[in-house]
């Protein structure tokens, strides 16, 4: 209902998107996952990446997805971000 009312999945605000995608993983809101994947492909700031990758890694169903998205996106990340994310997902 929140997504329908506020359009959170497709927000252009990175602060909101990061929190929304982290929550989407926690509640298994799969509708948000394609937008989350796109967000992780173009976002390089660790303050946004770390919480989402942590949620994916800790999810009982999404650990493999964290590795899959990271392998697609890692070349878009700074080397320090790559090391941090690799520490989270491995």
């Amino acid at each position: 209902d929140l997504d329908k009312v506020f359009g959170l999945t497709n927000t252009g605000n990175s602060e909101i998107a990061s929190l929304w995608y982290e929550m989407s993983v926690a509640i298994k809101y799969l509708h948000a996952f394609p937008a989350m994947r796109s967000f992780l492909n173009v976002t390089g700031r660790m303050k946004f990446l770390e919480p989402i990758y942590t949620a994916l890694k800790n999810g009982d169903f999404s650990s493999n997805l964290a590795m899959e998205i990271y392998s697609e996106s890692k070349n878009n990340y700074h080397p320090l971000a790559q090391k941090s994310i690799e520490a989270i997902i491995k």
Side-chain angles (χ1 to χ4, degrees), residues 59-89:
D60 60 345
F61 70 101
S62 56
S63 181
N64 289 336
L65 182 60
M67 290 185 273
E68 181 181 315
I69 294 172
Y70 175 70
S71 68
E72 292 172 4
S73 305
K74 70 180 177 182
N75 291 331
N76 299 331
Y77 300 155
H78 187 277
L80 293 176
Q82 290 176 2
K83 286 183 181 186
S84 295
I85 295 168
E86 287 171 7
I88 291 169
I89 64 173

Side-chain angles (χ1 to χ4, degrees), residues 37-69:
R37 181 182 227 121
S38 294
F39 179 79
L40 291 171
N41 261 314
V42 298
T43 302
R45 296 194 62 198
M46 281 303 296
K47 79 180 226 171
F48 301 131
L49 298 174
E50 187 174 24
I52 298 171
Y53 275 108
T54 299
L56 285 166
K57 179 61 180 171
N58 293 334
D60 60 345
F61 70 101
S62 56
S63 181
N64 289 336
L65 182 60
M67 290 185 273
E68 181 181 315
I69 294 172

